Amino acid sequence: MAGFMPLCLSTTFSKFSFRLAYSFSYNLFQFCGHTWILANTVARFLMFGQDALADTFYSVGFVMSLCQLLSILELFHIADGIEKARLLPRFIQVMEKNLLLIMIIMLEELQSKPVVCVQLFFWNVLDLLRYPHELLCVMDTPSSTMLWTRYTLWIPLYILTVIVEAATIYQALPYAEQTASQSCPLNSTTAPNSHLPVVLALYLPVLTLGASLTVGQLLKERHHHLEKWNRKRK
């Protein structure tokens, strides 16, 4: 019995250390990835002006896709208790980003449009406001400034991001219709791209509903975290 207790404590400590190291590594990777994307996008625009818009997605698309694909892990982080957050708003955010990214990849003509660069800019700004806060929380050194940025400034920026997402979908509709007409020249409805315009049109109200639910959940989360922080300071 005397030897069993140290063994249990050692196992628990090892598990805790692994979760801590994993959480820190994940958030650091996402922070570095989004920092590189944003720096690359801004630098290209400053150097080449509007000419950089044509191939910005080609330049940063792979890293962006990798970061967004890995963001699906955050749903498991919340479910497993690695991250303390509400599952529903994170699920909506992760899915809307990944679905829109898939749409942009499918519609190559859309990739050179300015709205895509604006979309990438807002996505990365949002993530760069979130991951530093997560890193500080993992290191148990939370900052009041980062807390306010994460749960207050983040919400209006998220609303702007959703507006840009809606604009991206709206601009994608003509290209989706063109792709659908080219993929089914014999008026076949079995082609994978034939229903893409309808799917995008239906996705707009779904995006609005999802964003409304997310904002409501984020406001509750903001109230909870700020109230918890104020109690700690007293």
Side-chain angles (χ1 to χ4, degrees), residues 160-176:
L160 286 175
T161 302
V162 172
I163 294 174
V164 176
E165 289 175 355
T168 303
I169 295 173
Y170 180 77
Q171 290 201 14
L173 285 173
Y175 301 105

Side-chain angles (χ1 to χ4, degrees), residues 67-212:
C67 289
Q68 293 307 319
L69 183 63
L70 289 176
S71 68
I72 298 175
L73 292 173
E74 296 176 16
L75 304 179
F76 298 97
H77 296 170
I78 297 174
D80 193 47
I82 296 177
E83 181 182 351
K84 304 297 182 182
R86 294 176 182 265
L87 182 60
L88 179 60
R90 187 65 57 83
F91 174 79
I92 294 174
Q93 294 163 35
V94 168
M95 295 310 297
E96 72 184 24
K97 283 184 180 180
N98 279 280
L99 289 174
L100 282 174
L101 195 57
I102 291 172
M103 179 198 72
I104 295 172
I105 293 173
M106 290 177 60
L107 302 175
E108 295 184 5
E109 300 88 348
L110 183 66
Q111 296 174 9
S112 60
K113 298 301 177 182
V115 70
V116 174
C117 293
V118 176
Q119 185 72 82
L120 294 176
F121 176 80
F122 273 104
W123 277 349
N124 285 283
V125 168
L126 281 179
D127 287 324
L128 287 177
L129 292 179
R130 181 162 66 90
Y131 287 113
H133 171 71
E134 300 296 340
L135 280 170
L136 291 175
C137 289
V138 170
M139 294 185 293
D140 200 23
T141 55
S143 164
S144 58
T145 303
M146 292 305 303
L147 184 72
W148 181 87
T149 301
R150 169 67 180 91
Y151 292 106
T152 302
L153 180 61
W154 205 88
I155 295 176
L157 285 176
Y158 172 73
I159 295 173
L160 286 175
T161 302
V162 172
I163 294 174
V164 176
E165 289 175 355
T168 303
I169 295 173
Y170 180 77
Q171 290 201 14
L173 285 173
Y175 301 105
E177 293 173 356
Q178 182 181 357
T179 302
S181 62
Q182 291 175 354
S183 63
C184 49
L186 299 178
N187 295 325
S188 171
T189 59
T190 58
N193 294 329
S194 60
H195 302 294
L196 185 58
V198 178
V199 172
L200 292 180
L202 292 176
Y203 184 68
L204 281 173
V206 174
L207 176 65
T208 304
L209 177 61
S212 301

